[in-house]
């Protein structure tokens, strides 16, 4: 590689990193705006929203800008939600945990098994669906114990815990489907990934 090509490569990496950080920050801030709209969405008696645009924004950021940007957007979004979420700090923390548990397996699988960490890898429907199912399993495995601790800490009747956990599992599956399918259709359906080509 010539010196000129090497400099262009370094600049390209720096530019890509800058775009990822900026994208994560922008989408993290955007999730706060959507949080106010989410207050008007239908919810269960326990306060869970059937449809959560905040997590969808974080996953969209991940698909467009890559893992680092997705993580940055989720962290910034979680912190920005803290002063406004009526269930803070538990609500934003659970949202962050559930979303990262859903998308983190896809990054790890791409890196250590597929050996190709890129948006193009996730664009393949079979790969995306497979990684998505694994992500849903991981999400449930993490969120069930999380919910048990919160349920018992709030003093709810222990005899109803089983019914509550069934609800938690079904609800997380529903949320996961929205969190995975909608971003996929937006990013890859509109070919946004091809317009940016960041990772």
């Amino acid at each position: 590689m010539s010196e000129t090509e090497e400099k262009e490569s370094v600049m390209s990496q720096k530019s890509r990193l800058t775009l990822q950080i900026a994208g994560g920050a922008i989408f993290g801030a955007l999730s706060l705006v959507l949080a106010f709209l989410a207050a008007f969405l239908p919810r269960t008696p326990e306060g869970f929203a059937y449809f959560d645009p905040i997590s969808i924004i974080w996953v969209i950021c991940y698909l467009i800008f890559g893992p680092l940007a997705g993580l940055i957007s989720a962290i910034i979004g979680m912190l920005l939600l803290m002063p406004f979420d009526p269930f803070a700090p538990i609500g934003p923390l659970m949202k962050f945990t559930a979303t990262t548990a859903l998308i983190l397996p896809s990054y790890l699988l791409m890196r250590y098994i597929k050996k190709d960490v890129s948006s193009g890898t996730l664009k393949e429907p079979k790969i995306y669906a497979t990684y998505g199912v694994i992500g849903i399993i991981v999400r449930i495995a993490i969120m069930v114990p999380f919910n048990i601790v919160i349920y018992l800490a709030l003093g709810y009747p222990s005899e109803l815990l089983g019914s509550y956990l069934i609800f938690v599992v079904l609800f997380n599956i529903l949320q996961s489907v929205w969190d995975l399918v909608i971003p996929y259709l937006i990013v890859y359906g509109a070919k946004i990934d091809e317009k940016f080509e960041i990772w």
Side-chain angles (χ1 to χ4, degrees):
M1 179 183 292
S2 67
E3 184 177 347
T4 301
E5 291 175 332
E6 186 175 350
K7 287 181 179 179
E8 290 178 352
S9 177
V10 172
M11 287 300 294
S12 177
Q13 292 176 3
K14 289 183 178 179
S15 299
R16 189 178 296 112
L17 179 61
T18 300
L19 285 173
Q20 290 174 339
I21 294 174
I26 292 171
F27 274 74
L30 180 59
S31 64
L32 176 61
V33 176
L34 291 180
F36 295 103
L37 299 177
F40 300 98
L41 296 175
R43 295 177 177 270
T44 68
E46 294 81 7
F48 296 104
Y50 291 104
F51 177 81
D52 187 359
I54 299 172
S55 296
I56 290 173
I57 285 295
W58 296 345
V59 177
I60 288 176
C61 181
Y62 166 59
L63 295 181
I64 296 176
F65 296 97
L68 176 61
L71 180 61
I72 290 174
S73 70
I75 292 174
I76 291 177
M78 176 187 66
L79 295 176
L80 291 177
L81 288 171
M82 288 294 184
F84 304 101
D85 194 302
F87 302 101
I90 295 176
L93 180 59
M94 290 185 70
K95 194 182 304 294
F96 170 82
T97 304
T99 307
T100 53
L102 185 64
I103 65 177
L104 185 59
S106 65
Y107 165 69
L108 295 176
L109 289 168
M110 281 191 292
R111 180 171 183 178
Y112 296 107
I113 296 179
K114 192 70 175 176
K115 304 296 184 181
D116 181 14
V117 181
S118 69
S119 180
T121 298
L122 291 179
K123 190 172 185 177
E124 295 295 327
K126 289 183 179 180
I127 293 177
Y128 189 80
T130 301
Y131 290 177
V133 170
I134 294 173
I136 292 174
I137 294 172
V138 172
R139 175 173 175 164
I140 292 173
I142 293 175
M143 296 310 296
V144 166
F146 202 153
N147 277 271
I148 290 175
V149 172
I150 294 174
Y151 184 89
L152 295 178
L154 293 175
Y156 289 114
S158 57
E159 60 270 17
L160 297 179
L161 180 59
S163 299
Y164 176 75
L165 292 182
I166 292 175
F167 163 77
V168 168
V169 171
L170 295 176
F171 185 81
N172 272 278
I173 292 175
L174 175 64
Q175 284 278 15
S176 297
V177 171
W178 294 129
D179 293 346
L180 290 170
V181 173
I182 293 177
Y184 183 90
L185 294 176
I186 291 175
V187 174
Y188 297 119
K191 298 183 178 180
I192 298 177
D193 61 309
E194 297 179 8
K195 297 175 183 178
F196 285 87
E197 295 184 340
I198 294 175
W199 67 301

